Amino acid sequence: MIPMSIDHAKVQTLVGLELHQQLNTREKLFCSDPTVIREDEPTVRFKRRLRPTQSELGQVDEAALFEFHKGRIFNYEMYGEGTCLVEADGNPFKTLCGLLA
Amino acid sequence: MKGTPDSKNAKSDNDASDSGYHGEAQRFLNKASATVGDLIRVTTKTGAMFEGVVMPRTAISTDEMHVVIKQKSGYNVGIDTKQVVTITVQKRGSSEKTGTQEGATIAAPRRVVKGLPTISLLSTGGTIASKVDYKTGAVSPALSAQDLYDVVPELGNVANVRAEILCNILSENMSPETWSMIADAIGKRILEGGLDGVVIAHGTDTMHYTSAALSFALRDLPIPVVLVGSQRSSDRPSSDAAMNLINAAIASGKGPFAEVVICMHGEMGDSYSLCHRGTKVRKMHTSRRDTFVSINVKPIAKVEEGNVKMLVGEYPRRDSKRELRVEARFDDKVALVKTYPGAPSHLLDSFIDKGYHGIVLEGTGLGHVPEKMYGSIKRANEEDIVVVMTSQCISGRINMNVYRTGRELLALGVVPGEDMLPETALVKLMWLLGKGGNHDKIRELIRTNLAGEITPASSAESSTPQVIREEE
């Protein structure tokens, strides 16, 4: 249950900070696409809804559930070349040990 | 994906107890009397301590050294068994199925809602109507309607669902007997009354074979029968499972048509699904979610924003007073044989020698096979085996009157399969032979439209010269 107002004196606020660093490798991690940063307009666009999934223990993450209830639509923007079905989740990807998932 | 590799490699389709550990890792667990699901604590040579629940290895792995545990934080960590100094089992895993009883759930329990269509959801396998049972490393079918509502709460706004599991078979392992079983199960529930539609959850690999089989076996359907599957496993947020299930429920509950269809994504995104006539549809991509495509015709309907929009004018209308007849016998002594340049002249011989009753040829172009196979075809005809020609072009129509070779094959008794898909022709021939009767009559019926499988003309608009994806 999300309370309507929060008394910050009474609760401990926890802020998570996540930093991402893009690596200039020959290929991306999960597919063979090049790691280039592009400014040109995407040529492929589609929309999806994402859903919370169960963990291995059959539980649903509360934060993911909260986001799901917002009913957002996710816009995928891709290029005809240089991005592929793996990024579009339309193809299984290679894992580090060469297995498909 | 149709589920984790473990479930595919388990001893049988229903035996999901393979934890995925073997070799040193398995011995390590055995020595500590620890199994998947147990909470263990290990200390390592570097002085580190890890505590977590033992997870199954959900990938086929040659790694025999690591045991994966899920820590309280939710992060998984792989423990090098060679580095472990002590291991203790803190708590045994529960032997009950893990479900959404603990932690947050998506939906509250629900009652039957008046005013919504009532549909029967029958699961034959696949990941569409399933819960991920990671305890055993397998994807198992959703066990109850409540499970379904848990995973896809929107279903509650769309239909009252009566969910049952018919079987749990990877669709590539199905057989004509499976089709009979499914047809009988559908027939029984429709004849019991009270249903507005039927949804069949099915693996995508051979879903078009089953949809064709049901199209022939269920005569005079009063309501829609919608087959549905998912291409992307339901343990990923972008899985197509939920939308497919919702739209299939909408199509079967509200669709004005009364025939067997496959309902899956119409494009890469989630904006709409398409309903494809069960005898005119084929899986055309190994992994994309819009893999099912109507061949030689347009899809019959579009499901978008909760509504069903018909795309064709001619279709059997929904009519609850229509009396369903089930004719679910299939003769499995029918082969589908694809020919190719250099194919041996004896390609068909083993089927002829084994007393097969029918052969569907997937020839080239307008309906041709290598000339050196003509001898076998002649022999098949003499044995009164029904031989039907279809094309590996998939799209288009057979015409064996254009070239001399085609006419020779006609003279050898080969029946042109019109614009039927090879897979549909196979199923149709199995069904006709299953009904019994004179083979000449069957040869005539092969060329007769019985369930939308043959269209009279190939319009330029609906012919599919190739499957063109707008995005490419």
Side-chain angles (χ1 to χ4, degrees), chain B residues 14 90 110 119 129 213 275 291 303 311 352 384 388 418 421 423 458:
Chain B
N14 286 312
Q90 304 293 107
R110 60 183 308 281
I119 64 173
C275 294
T291 176
V303 182
L311 300 173
I352 301 170
D384 202 22
V388 179
E418 305 299 332
L421 285 162
E423 295 84 0
S458 303

Side-chain angles (χ1 to χ4, degrees), chain B residues 141 155 168 172:
Chain B
L155 267 187
N168 187 16
E172 66 263 31

Side-chain angles (χ1 to χ4, degrees), chain A residues 18 43-62 65 68-69 76 78 80 85 88-93 97 99-101, chain B residues 1 53 55 59-60 70 76 98-100 102 104-106 131-132 134-135 151-154 232 234-238 242 267-270 285 287-289 471:
Chain A
E18 196 173 288
T43 53
V44 179
R45 293 180 153 119
F46 54 91
K47 297 170 195 284
R48 287 200 185 128
R49 292 190 187 276
L50 302 185
R51 310 179 63 87
T53 56
Q54 295 173 50
S55 72
E56 291 97 322
L57 302 179
Q59 294 163 332
V60 174
D61 181 81
E62 283 189 44
L65 185 56
F68 173 62
H69 284 310
Y76 285 66
M78 300 174 56
L85 282 183
D89 191 32
N91 208 35
F93 56 86
C97 35
L99 307 169
L100 290 179
Chain B
M1 271 200 63
V53 178
M55 290 286 107
I60 316 158
K70 178 179 282 296
N76 288 356
T98 56
T100 52
E102 314 145 38
T105 58
I106 303 179
K131 292 186 82 161
V132 183
Y134 276 99
K135 187 164 200 310
V151 177
V152 187
E154 297 94 321
R232 308 304 291 141
S234 54
D235 65 342
R236 50 183 62 231
S238 48
E267 48 108 4
M268 281 229 285
D270 288 353
H285 195 280
S287 60
R288 279 175 63 138
R289 51 197 74 206
E471 296 87 6

Side-chain angles (χ1 to χ4, degrees), chain A residues 71-90:
Chain A
R72 287 178 190 207
I73 292 176
F74 291 77
N75 291 314
Y76 285 66
E77 297 180 339
M78 300 174 56
Y79 300 97
E81 274 170 39
T83 57
C84 67
L85 282 183
V86 172
E87 283 128 325
D89 191 32

Side-chain angles (χ1 to χ4, degrees), chain B residues 282-301:
Chain B
R282 194 171 191 270
K283 183 172 182 178
M284 294 297 285
H285 195 280
T286 57
S287 60
R288 279 175 63 138
R289 51 197 74 206
D290 54 348
T291 176
F292 282 97
V293 177
S294 283
I295 303 291
N296 291 334
V297 292
K298 289 197 295 205
I300 71 161

Side-chain angles (χ1 to χ4, degrees), chain B residues 333-337 344-359 373 376-377 379-380 383 385:
Chain B
K333 291 194 98 168
V334 182
L336 174 61
V337 181
S345 54
H346 59 75
L347 193 61
L348 304 177
D349 287 352
S350 65
F351 294 115
I352 301 170
D353 296 336
K354 286 182 152 73
Y356 266 56
H357 306 140
I359 295 174
M373 287 176 62
S376 293
I377 292 173
R379 193 158 75 86
E383 301 288 325
I385 297 173

